[in-house]
Structure formats: structure tokens, C-alpha cells
């Protein structure tokens, strides 16, 4: 018990020591917390005009905190003079000021191009601030690995993880305990207590958790050997078991699956959708490199095998991923997903080659490469926002010129309807460009081209959406997914239109609404979550049930017309997405926005999702 209390005491002493060791870091975190509490205090209508200001302050303090962490660590580990420490803290303050001015003066968006009434911070500006934070944090990990006789990149990398999870655990305990106390006060003493109290607790707990994170690091001052450094860098036995005996086999299993996929691809061609492939490849690349660095000093046979096998297997897999990327680029051109995939591919290929050549000595070059690609991805010409837009403009111009729809800077409606594949490609490119943030578009491109009416007026034909990539459906699962086409509903024969999505009785899990009619008081109930999953409509008149109808017959009608032989998505007409019911008292029309029916026959699992959008009703004379 004494050892436990001593350990807890050391953690909180380290947190309080942070104010002296990293003053600029702590000050930045405190500023971030203060801005957060101001935003909590102000309701949205009050803070909306200052949204740009608050966001710029948040990002500035975040950049200042991590930049100061790296700068102070550099000053402490490389210099003995107190002046270097002062300069490092001042540089942190300068980073806050410069970041704020750059974001506030140049990072805003035109309100006319967004849904906001006021200028807001652009996504690109936030990405650039995020890149600055990432680079500063990687620099801190490198600087914390000095001197070489006490640490290296792998140990510093793990120490950062350890500090994070310790701070996370203490933060979760604190917020749970304090929120519990606040909940007791609200329930027992002060029922009118504002919900903002919990937000304040979360903010202050987050600030304290951050000081625990920073305070966990050892004394980096030059010429001093802090005993805490060795303990902070040491991996506990359970962590070695977790990474060495569990994580490594999992990543090796994923490697085997991807290698088998590569072999299958050679024989049968590309069978997976690019979205699925890119997500799997991203997870594999990030997890594989991360685990390789974490297990650098593991001496088990499995760990040594992994460190040798992963780079070679990754190169083989990445070659086939490049093929998948090439096919995708030919299909739809460069977009954000493809751009992100390319960046990760470049980082992974270069990293595994460096690991093959230099092994552990490759960690610093890999970190430098990651920083370089973070910078490149937010640059004006070759960044994630600019390059895909340029590629899609070129793609769209080629398509329009091939159909004689673009002459100089003038867009001309098509004389004859282009082929379906061309219409789909034009629609796809137009949709991407119309909603790209702060995109530099040619003069002939109308930002409203994404709207169906403008699209048809300018191009001469309706939008044609490419069919979505087929998703991999678990074996044995069958189903359908239906969505109602945009079309008008003739309601001339009905008196009331009831939005059934806005009235929910949580106890009975049903939508319910009362209507006063000429015959009396009606109550309409839509019970969606029944025991068998089939929704039931019940209408009462003066507490007398006049209609109680389950949707079994309607589901039979739908499945008869759209057999659920495989998972598919379709847009269907109002006739299919509606149901008419009649009683001696009323006529009723149900209109569904979407219907999802999935069945797993092998496990006897049935899932019926009928999303009732509107109920129309009229009393009979």
C-alpha cells in the first residue's frame, strides 16, 4: 500500500513540477483550458460571431504547447546555460503569437462559400496547424532520446506512450470521480445545476491530465542522470507479453493474409474495392511500423523474425497495392482518398527500405521522412487540398472537350446525351469539385454545379451517379436496402401530415402523437422495436383502437418485388415506398424514407429496418 501511495505521489509531484520545468508548455495548456471554459460559458448564439477567434486561439495554444515541449527539451539536453532555457520558453510564446496571427489573418474562409454566417477557420489552415503539432511532437521524441548512452528513439518512443497512458488512466479516474460527486450534488442538493458543470470538470481534468503527461518525463538537463529515465523507458513485463506474444502474431497473420491476397490478385485480378484495400493497407502500414519500432530491443525469436520478415513482406504487399492504386486512378482520378493512400505508401516503402539497410539506425530518417511528408501534404500546389482538385479539373476538362461541351472558357450543354459511363464520370468529377473547400477552379466552373437543377441546366443532362463499389457481405447474409427517389407526394386527399421521426416515447420505444379531429381525439403510435422486429402501427380514437396493423404484408410485398438474394442498394419509387391503409373512420398513407432488410438464415437472425418518414391521414365523413 505504501508503494502504491508513493507511486501516486510521484505522479502528482511530477505534474506540479511541470510548472517549473516546462512553464511555456503549462501556460499554453492553461490558455487552451481557459478558452475552452469561455466557450462553455457562452451559448452558441453568443459565441458564433467569435468562432474564428476561439478556434485560432485553440490551435495556437495547442501548437505552442507541443512546440514549447520540444524547444525546452532541446535547450535542457543540449545547453547548460539558463539563458537557453529562457529563450526556449520565449520561442514557445512567439510560436503562439505567430500561429494565431497567421490563422486569424489568412486562415479564414469566405462565409459565402460555407454554411456559416461568419468567417470560419478553413480545414486547410487546421491541417497546417496539425502538421506543425505533429512535427513538433516528433522532434520532442528525437530530442528526448539524447544522450545516446542513456536512450535511443525506440526507448523515447515507448516512454511517450507510457506517459500518455498513465495520464489517461489518472484523467479517467479523476473525471469519473468528480463527475460522480457532481451528479450526487445535482440529484440530492441542487436539481437546477447546469450541465455545463460537467464540461468544466472535463476541461480542468484534461488540463491536469496533460500536466501529468508532461510531468512524467525525466529531467533532461545536460550533465544530469535522472534515475527516473530508466524506469520511464523500461517496458513492463505485461507490455512485452502484449506486444511480443500477441501483437506480433496478429500483424504476422495480417501479413500472411495480404500475401495470399497478392497471390490471388496475380491469378484472378483485383477483387477488393479500393476503399477497403486502402483502409486495410493503412492499418497494416501504420501498425507494422509502429510495432517494429516498439519491439526494437526485444530478443525473443519471434520478435527477431518479425523485424526481419516485416520489411520484406511489406515491399511485396506494397507493390500490389500500387497496382490497385493505378487501377483506381484510371477509374476516377486522384481524390483525397487516393492522395492519402499515396502519402502513406511513400512513407511505408521508404521506411521498410531504410529498415532493411540500417535497421534501428533508420528510426531518425523515418521520423524525418514523416515530418517532410506532413509538410508536403499541406503545401499550396502539391498538398492534399490542391493536387486532387487540379487532377479532377484536368479530368473534367478532358471529358467535356471529348463531348464538345467546353469551348475556351464557355460551358456548352450537350447536344446529345453522352454515354452512361461518360455521364457518371462527369457527375463524379463535378461533385468532387463543387464541394471542395477553397478550391481554385476554372472560370467556367460554377460552384453551384453540384445542385441537380444547375447541373442539368448547364450540362444538358441529369446527374448520373457511378454505382457504389460492392461491399464484401458476410457469407450467408442476404438483404436489400431501398431508398425513395426524390419525387412529389400527392397529399390532396389527406388532412394531416405527421412527421413520425420527431415524436419518441423512450419508455415504449415508439413514435406517438395526438391529433384533435372532428370525430374525437386521435393518438397515432408507431412501434418500431417489437419483439420480432416487425413494426406495428396503432391508431386510437378516444382510447378505442381503430387500426392496429403490423408491417408483415408490406414486407412480403417488398421482398416479392425486390428479392433479397444479395446485399444491394436501390432507389425506388413512391409506389414501393408507401402503404395505404383504410378503416371506417380514417384513410392513412405511410411514406418510408428507406427500408433495410437483412437476414442471416444460418443463425436465424432477421433485421427489419423500416424508417417511417411521414404519415398522412384524413377523417372519413
Amino acid at each position: 500500500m505504501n508503494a502504491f501511495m508513493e507511486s501516486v505521489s510521484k505522479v502528482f509531484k511530477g505534474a506540479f513540477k511541470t510548472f517549473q520545468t516546462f512553464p511555456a508548455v503549462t501556460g499554453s495548456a492553461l490558455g487552451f483550458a481557459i478558452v475552452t471554459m469561455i466557450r462553455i460559458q457562452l451559448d452558441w448564439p453568443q459565441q458564433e460571431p467569435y468562432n474564428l477567434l476561439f478556434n485560432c486561439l485553440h490551435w495556437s495554444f495547442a501548437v505552442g504547447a507541443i512546440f514549447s515541449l520540444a524547444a525546452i527539451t532541446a535547450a535542457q539536453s543540449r545547453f547548460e546555460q539558463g539563458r537557453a532555457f529562457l529563450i526556449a520558453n520565449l520561442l514557445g510564446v512567439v510560436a503562439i503569437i505567430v500561429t494565431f496571427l497567421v490563422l486569424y489573418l489568412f486562415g479564414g474562409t469566405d462565409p459565402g462559400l460555407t454554411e456559416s454566417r461568419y468567417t470560419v477557420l478553413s480545414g486547410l489552415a487546421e491541417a497546417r496547424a496539425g502538421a506543425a503539432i505533429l512535427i513538433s511532437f516528433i522532434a520532442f521524441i528525437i530530442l528526448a532520446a539524447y544522450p545516446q548512452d542513456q536512450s535511443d528513439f525506440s526507448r523515447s518512443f515507448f516512454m511517450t506512450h507510457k506517459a500518455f497512458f498513465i495520464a489517461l488512466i489518472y484523467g479517467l479516474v479523476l473525471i469519473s470521480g468528480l463527475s460522480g460527486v457532481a451528479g450526487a450534488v445535482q440529484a440530492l442538493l441542487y436539481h437546477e445545476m447546469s450541465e455545463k458543470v460537467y464540461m468544466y470538470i472535463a476541461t480542468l481534468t484534461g488540463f491536469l491530465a496533460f500536466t501529468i503527461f508532461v510531468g512524467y518525463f525525466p529531467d533532461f538537463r545536460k550533465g544530469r542522470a535522472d534515475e527516473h529515465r530508466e524506469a520511464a523507458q523500461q517496458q513492463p513485463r505485461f507490455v512485452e507479453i502484449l506486444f511480443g506474444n500477441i501483437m506480433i502474431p496478429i500483424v504476422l497473420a495480417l501479413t500472411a493474409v495480404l500475401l495470399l491476397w497478392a497471390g490471388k490478385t496475380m491469378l484472378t485480378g483485383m477483387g477488393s474495392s479500393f476503399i477497403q484495400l486502402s483502409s486495410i493497407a493503412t492499418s497494416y502500414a501504420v501498425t507494422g511500423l509502429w510495432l517494429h519500432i516498439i519491439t526494437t530491443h526485444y530478443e525473443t525469436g519471434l520478435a527477431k523474425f518479425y523485424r526481419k520478415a516485416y520489411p520484406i513482406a511489406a515491399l511485396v504487399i506494397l507493390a500490389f497495392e500500387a497496382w490497385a492504386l493505378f487501377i483506381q486512378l484510371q477509374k476516377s482520378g486522384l481524390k483525397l482518398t487516393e492522395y492519402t493512400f499515396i502519402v502513406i505508401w511513400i512513407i511505408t516503402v521508404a521506411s521498410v527500405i531504410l529498415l532493411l539497410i540500417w535497421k534501428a539506425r533508420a528510426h531518425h530518417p523515418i521520423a524525418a521522412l514523416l515530418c517532410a511528408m506532413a509538410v508536403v501534404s499541406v503545401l499550396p500546389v502539391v498538398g492534399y487540398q490542391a493536387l486532387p482538385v487540379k487532377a479532377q479539373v484536368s479530368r473534367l476538362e478532358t471529358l467535356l472537350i471529348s463531348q464538345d461541351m467546353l469551348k475556351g472558357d464557355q460551358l456548352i450543354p450537350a447536344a446529345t446525351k453522352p454515354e452512361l459511363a461518360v455521364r457518371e464520370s462527369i457527375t463524379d468529377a463535378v461533385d468532387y469539385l463543387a464541394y471542395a473547400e477553397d478550391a481554385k477552379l476554372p472560370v467556367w466552373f460554377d460552384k453551384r454545379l453540384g445542385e441537380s437543377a444547375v447541373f442539368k441546366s448547364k450540362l444538358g443532362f441529369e446527374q448520373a451517379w457511378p454505382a457504389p463499389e460492392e461491399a464484401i457481405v458476410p457469407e450467408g447474409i442476404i438483404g436489400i436496402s431501398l431508398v425513395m427517389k426524390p419525387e412529389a407526394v400527392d397529399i390532396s386527399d389527406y388532412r394531416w401530415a405527421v412527421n413520425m421521426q420527431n415524436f419518441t416515447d423512450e419508455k415504449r420505444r415508439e413514435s406517438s402523437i395526438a391529433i384533435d379531429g372532428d370525430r374525437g381525439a386521435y393518438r397515432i403510435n408507431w412501434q418500431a422495436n417489437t419483439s420480432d422486429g416487425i413494426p406495428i402501427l396503432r391508431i386510437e380514437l378516444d382510447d378505442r383502437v381503430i387500426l392496429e396493423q403490423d408491417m408483415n404484408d408490406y414486407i412480403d410485398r417488398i421482398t416479392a418485388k425486390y428479392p433479397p438474394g444479395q446485399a444491394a442498394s436501390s432507389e425506388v419509387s413512391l409506389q414501393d415506398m408507401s402503404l395505404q391503409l383504410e378503416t371506417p373512420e380514417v384513410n392513412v398513407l405511410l411514406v418510408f424514407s428507406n427500408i433495410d432488410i437483412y437476414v442471416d438464415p444460418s443463425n436465424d437472425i432477421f433485421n427489419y429496418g423500416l424508417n417511417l418518414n411521414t404519415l398522412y391521414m384524413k377523417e372519413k365523413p
Side-chain angles (χ1 to χ4, degrees):
M1 186 66 180
N2 290 335
F4 173 75
M5 293 302 298
E6 183 180 353
S7 177
V8 173
S9 176
K10 285 182 179 180
V11 170
F12 282 100
K13 284 181 181 178
F16 289 119
K17 188 180 177 182
T18 305
F19 291 87
Q20 294 179 331
T21 311
F22 297 98
V25 177
T26 309
S28 299
L30 182 60
F32 189 97
I34 291 172
V35 173
T36 302
M37 288 190 289
I38 293 174
R39 300 188 78 163
I40 292 171
Q41 182 61 34
L42 298 176
D43 293 327
W44 177 245
Q46 295 173 292
Q47 69 166 280
E48 185 181 9
Y50 308 102
N51 191 38
L52 175 64
L53 173 65
F54 289 142
N55 283 336
C56 290
L57 286 172
H58 264 148
W59 280 107
S60 301
F61 284 125
V63 170
I66 307 304
F67 176 84
S68 299
L69 185 63
I72 293 172
T73 302
Q76 289 182 331
S77 61
R78 268 65 173 179
F79 304 96
E80 295 181 354
Q81 304 94 333
R83 186 172 63 178
F85 177 75
L86 176 61
I87 292 174
N89 282 276
L90 291 176
L91 285 175
V93 176
V94 171
I96 295 173
I97 296 173
V98 171
T99 303
F100 175 78
L101 292 176
V102 170
L103 292 178
Y104 192 77
L105 297 177
F106 306 105
T109 60
D110 184 353
L113 301 178
T114 65
E115 296 179 357
S116 174
R117 295 181 297 159
Y118 302 93
T119 302
V120 296
L121 196 59
S122 70
L124 181 59
E126 292 178 343
R128 287 170 175 166
I133 293 173
L134 175 64
I135 293 170
S136 298
F137 194 68
I138 293 175
F140 164 73
I141 295 174
I142 294 174
L143 293 166
Y146 184 86
Q148 295 181 359
D149 60 339
Q150 297 183 32
S151 184
D152 59 22
F153 186 89
S154 175
R155 291 187 175 94
S156 176
F157 188 61
F158 174 76
M159 177 175 62
T160 306
H161 284 70
K162 194 173 181 180
F164 171 78
F165 282 105
I166 288 175
L168 178 64
I169 291 171
Y170 278 94
L172 290 175
V173 172
L174 284 170
I175 195 171
S176 299
L178 294 174
S179 297
V181 172
V185 170
Q186 184 177 21
L188 302 175
L189 302 176
Y190 184 50
H191 299 298
E192 291 76 23
M193 188 178 76
S194 173
E195 295 296 326
K196 294 181 179 180
V197 171
Y198 298 98
M199 300 181 191
Y200 289 126
I201 290 174
T203 301
L204 294 174
T205 302
F207 169 71
L208 184 56
F210 181 78
T211 62
I212 292 174
F213 167 74
V214 177
Y216 182 79
F217 293 112
D219 190 343
F220 293 118
R221 281 179 290 181
K222 187 177 181 180
R224 299 194 182 187
D226 190 350
E227 296 179 355
H228 176 58
R229 179 191 285 261
E230 184 176 354
Q233 295 179 154
Q234 184 67 35
Q235 295 191 20
R237 178 61 181 163
F238 82 90
V239 172
E240 292 182 354
I241 294 174
L242 174 64
F243 293 154
N245 297 345
I246 298 177
M247 285 295 296
I248 285 179
I250 290 174
V251 176
L252 287 175
L254 179 58
T255 302
V257 171
L258 290 174
L259 287 173
L260 290 173
W261 165 80
K264 178 184 175 183
T265 300
M266 291 182 63
L267 298 175
T268 62
M270 202 69 60
S272 302
S273 73
F274 183 75
I275 298 297
Q276 292 172 327
L277 177 60
S278 62
S279 61
I280 294 172
T282 299
S283 301
Y284 176 73
V286 173
T287 304
L289 284 174
W290 171 83
L291 189 60
H292 199 287
I293 295 173
I294 285 287
T295 61
T296 296
H297 299 290
Y298 286 24
E299 295 299 328
T300 64
L302 187 61
K304 290 180 179 179
F305 172 76
Y306 172 75
R307 291 199 297 270
K308 292 179 180 179
Y310 169 75
I312 298 173
L315 283 177
V316 176
I317 294 167
L318 289 168
F320 284 90
E321 289 172 353
W323 182 17
L325 174 65
F326 177 74
I327 294 174
Q328 180 68 14
L329 291 175
Q330 287 185 318
K331 179 181 177 182
S332 61
L334 182 68
K335 296 181 183 177
L336 180 58
T337 300
E338 291 76 17
Y339 184 92
T340 304
F341 187 86
I342 290 172
V343 170
I344 295 174
W345 189 91
I346 292 173
I347 293 173
T348 308
V349 168
S351 297
V352 296
I353 292 175
L354 290 172
L355 287 172
L356 283 171
I357 299 173
W358 290 337
K359 296 181 174 59
R361 289 179 295 139
H363 293 164
H364 284 185
I366 291 173
L369 173 65
L370 182 57
C371 293
M373 293 306 296
V375 172
V376 169
S377 66
V378 294
L379 289 177
V381 178
V382 295
Y384 80 91
Q385 191 267 352
L387 199 58
V389 168
K390 184 177 180 181
Q392 290 300 315
V393 168
S394 177
R395 174 194 179 200
L396 182 57
E397 285 180 344
T398 301
L399 289 167
L400 295 176
I401 291 173
S402 69
Q403 302 298 315
D404 294 326
M405 297 174 62
L406 182 63
K407 297 291 180 66
D409 289 335
Q410 185 176 1
L411 197 60
I412 302 171
T416 58
K417 182 185 290 187
E419 295 180 359
L420 177 61
V422 175
R423 284 182 281 129
E424 289 179 347
S425 297
I426 291 176
T427 302
D428 183 54
V430 166
D431 183 69
Y432 185 86
L433 294 173
Y435 298 102
E437 184 185 66
D438 292 338
K440 293 183 179 179
L441 302 172
V443 295
W444 52 264
F445 190 94
D446 187 341
K447 283 290 287 185
R448 296 175 60 237
L449 268 180
E451 301 174 15
S452 58
V454 177
F455 183 97
K456 183 177 181 180
S457 172
K458 296 280 187 178
L459 299 179
F461 55 87
E462 299 277 358
Q463 292 174 320
W465 298 102
E469 292 180 321
E470 292 185 3
I472 296 178
V473 181
E475 187 175 354
I477 301 294
I478 58 176
I480 54 173
S481 179
L482 306 178
V483 180
M484 190 177 78
K485 292 180 180 179
E487 59 180 286
V489 180
D490 184 359
I491 59 173
S492 58
D493 292 334
Y494 299 93
R495 177 179 176 184
W496 294 288
V498 183
N499 183 353
M500 301 302 296
Q501 296 183 330
N502 291 340
F503 301 91
T504 302
D505 185 334
E506 293 294 341
K507 293 182 180 179
R508 292 183 292 174
R509 293 186 178 182
E510 61 186 28
S511 297
S512 175
I513 185 174
I515 297 177
D516 290 329
D518 297 334
R519 288 175 173 265
Y522 294 91
R523 177 162 292 277
I524 302 172
N525 300 278
W526 174 253
Q527 188 174 356
N529 295 320
T530 59
S531 58
D532 59 1
I534 306 297
I536 297 175
L537 174 68
R538 186 174 67 255
I539 300 178
E540 302 172 5
L541 175 59
D542 293 333
D543 297 326
R544 176 174 59 89
V545 177
I546 61 173
L547 173 65
E548 187 163 10
Q549 177 75 47
D550 62 38
M551 297 295 111
N552 273 304
D553 292 342
Y554 177 65
I555 291 174
D556 290 340
R557 188 185 99 193
I558 290 295
T559 53
K561 186 171 183 179
Y562 302 97
Q566 59 182 356
S569 178
S570 302
E571 275 193 343
V572 298
S573 66
L574 172 65
Q575 181 179 0
D576 293 324
M577 298 297 287
S578 62
L579 174 65
Q580 290 182 329
L581 299 171
E582 184 177 355
T583 74
E585 296 84 6
V586 294
N587 286 330
V588 176
L589 173 67
L590 306 181
V591 178
F592 299 91
S593 58
N594 59 281
I595 297 173
D596 299 292
I597 302 174
Y598 291 96
V599 183
D600 182 359
S602 61
N603 296 311
D604 290 331
I605 297 176
F606 302 85
N607 185 0
Y608 303 99
L610 279 68
N611 188 7
L612 178 58
N613 186 51
T614 309
L615 179 148
Y616 300 93
M617 189 174 79
K618 176 186 177 181
E619 282 184 305
K620 290 185 177 180

